[in-house]
Amino acid sequence: MKSYVIHLIRHGAIDETLSGKYIGTTDPPLSDKGKLALKKLAFTHAYPQPPVVFSSPLRRCTQTCAVLFPERKPLVIANLSECNFGEWEGKTAEELKDSEDFQKWLAGDNSVKPPRGESNADFVRRVCKIFESIVEGLMKTGSTECAVVTHGGVIMTLLAVYGLPQAKPFEWAMENGCGYSVRVTPMLWQRGKVTEVFSRVPVAKEE
């Protein structure tokens, strides 16, 4: 039976993330160091080159696509964006430590959301819906492979929900420019909406 492979790749580094700030829907570009690190990774490691690439609309993702998939024009999907941190955007955990709502949010309370932002529950619902749409699209069109360039929070959430082996979101943490490949087998997907996490991305080139 035909199976489908989806490569989930985190965007390159931005200065704001490196300084520990919460950056969700804020739209800074890749840093110079981030671009250089991606180019080095692409030189020393092998990235898959699928026929279809999906991307978050934020510049750090579309610019990552341009470095890693120069011959592909990404299909931009708004719902692949990172969580909207609202009034917490651009602030560090240290700056927010006295906020009771922030502490509850960090603990995973789905009823709490950043002021003018997005709750954990709404975020999970949004990214799961778009991932299921991508899987269904592959099955309908017959395309067997794609890449999704998005954000760390999105990837960790998707793997925690759909990935086998099962693990908590933080256990799926990855460096910038890296990610995981998952295999979707129609029978398993139809029974329980699960995917097999079978490889890291990228893989080191053989000497």
Side-chain angles (χ1 to χ4, degrees), residues 11-41:
H11 61 77
I14 56 175
D15 288 332
E16 287 80 0
T17 298
L18 295 176
S19 62
K21 296 177 181 179
Y22 280 94
I23 302 297
T25 55
T26 308
D27 196 19
L30 291 178
S31 66
D32 290 339
K33 288 183 179 179
K35 288 181 182 177
L36 183 59
L38 280 177
K39 290 176 181 178
K40 285 183 177 179
L41 264 179

Side-chain angles (χ1 to χ4, degrees), residues 18-197:
L18 295 176
S19 62
K21 296 177 181 179
Y22 280 94
I23 302 297
T25 55
T26 308
D27 196 19
L30 291 178
S31 66
D32 290 339
K33 288 183 179 179
K35 288 181 182 177
L36 183 59
L38 280 177
K39 290 176 181 178
K40 285 183 177 179
L41 264 179
F43 181 75
T44 59
H45 290 64
Y47 280 91
Q49 295 295 317
V52 181
V53 177
F54 298 100
S55 177
S56 158
L58 299 177
R59 284 186 293 174
R60 54 194 184 271
C61 291
T62 57
Q63 290 175 348
T64 296
C65 289
V67 174
L68 301 182
F69 307 105
E71 297 181 3
R72 299 279 183 268
K73 183 176 181 180
L75 301 173
V76 174
I77 301 178
N79 282 338
L80 287 172
S81 295
E82 182 61 284
C83 183
N84 181 352
F85 297 121
E87 293 180 10
W88 297 345
E89 289 271 345
K91 295 182 179 179
T92 64
E94 177 67 22
E95 291 173 316
L96 295 166
K97 65 180 181 181
D98 295 328
S99 166
E100 185 175 337
D101 280 347
F102 177 69
Q103 295 302 328
K104 290 180 179 177
W105 179 80
L106 269 187
D109 188 332
N110 284 337
S111 67
V112 176
K113 68 177 183 178
R116 300 184 183 181
E118 188 174 27
S119 70
N120 285 325
D122 287 342
F123 172 64
V124 172
R125 192 178 301 112
R126 168 169 64 82
V127 299
C128 286
K129 183 176 181 180
I130 193 59
F131 181 75
E132 291 182 13
S133 294
I134 289 172
V135 171
E136 290 163 10
L138 290 177
M139 292 181 175
K140 286 179 181 177
T141 62
S143 297
T144 57
E145 186 180 9
C146 73
V148 177
V149 178
T150 182
H151 308 267
V154 174
I155 297 172
M156 290 189 292
T157 297
L158 293 177
L159 293 178
V161 173
Y162 300 106
L164 290 177
Q166 292 182 326
K168 294 182 178 180
F170 68 86
E171 295 179 276
W172 292 114
M174 75 233 68
E175 298 296 323
N176 292 103
C178 299
Y180 297 88
S181 296
V182 303
R183 181 178 291 109
V184 181
T185 304
M187 187 177 294
L188 283 176
W189 182 257
Q190 289 161 10
R191 283 181 179 175
K193 284 192 167 58
V194 294
T195 68
E196 174 198 359
V197 185

